[in-house]
Amino acid sequence: MRHTFTSWLCRLTLLGWRDIASAPFGCVIELAMIDGEHQPLGIPCIRHTEGWLDAVTMQPVTVSATHWRYWRPDVLPMCCC
C-alpha cells in the first residue's frame, strides 16, 4: 500500500523519471541515462521531430537518453514587486 501511495504521489508531483518513449514534444524537460543509477544530462531540453534541442541555445543535442522528467530549475522565478 505504501509503495502504491509513493508511486501515485510521484506521478502527481511530476518529479519522477519516465520512460523516454513517453517524452512530450515542445515541453522543457530533463533527460537522463539510467542503468542502475540516475545520470541526468543537467540541461533543459526540448523534444522535436528530428531529435533533441538544448532549450537555452536551441542547438541540437546528441544523447541516447533512456528517461525524462519535467525540468526543475535550480532557482524558481520570483516577482520583483
Side-chain angles (χ1 to χ4, degrees):
M1 176 89 169
R2 182 179 173 101
H3 176 68
T4 303
F5 177 75
T6 304
S7 296
W8 177 81
L9 183 61
C10 198
R11 288 185 184 137
L12 179 65
T13 59
L14 303 175
L15 298 178
W17 291 102
R18 300 170 184 216
D19 186 76
I20 198 67
S22 67
F25 288 88
C27 293
V28 179
I29 61 176
E30 181 178 16
L31 302 175
M33 294 174 57
I34 299 176
D35 66 15
E37 65 180 64
H38 296 87
Q39 298 174 357
L41 187 56
I43 60 170
C45 294
I46 298 174
R47 183 179 185 186
H48 70 103
T49 56
E50 298 176 17
W52 300 99
L53 295 175
D54 180 315
V56 176
T57 65
M58 299 308 286
Q59 295 297 312
V61 175
T62 303
V63 63
S64 296
T66 61
H67 289 77
W68 72 277
R69 67 180 174 188
Y70 288 100
W71 177 254
R72 297 178 294 170
D74 292 332
V75 178
L76 297 174
M78 296 180 6
C79 178
C80 64
C81 305

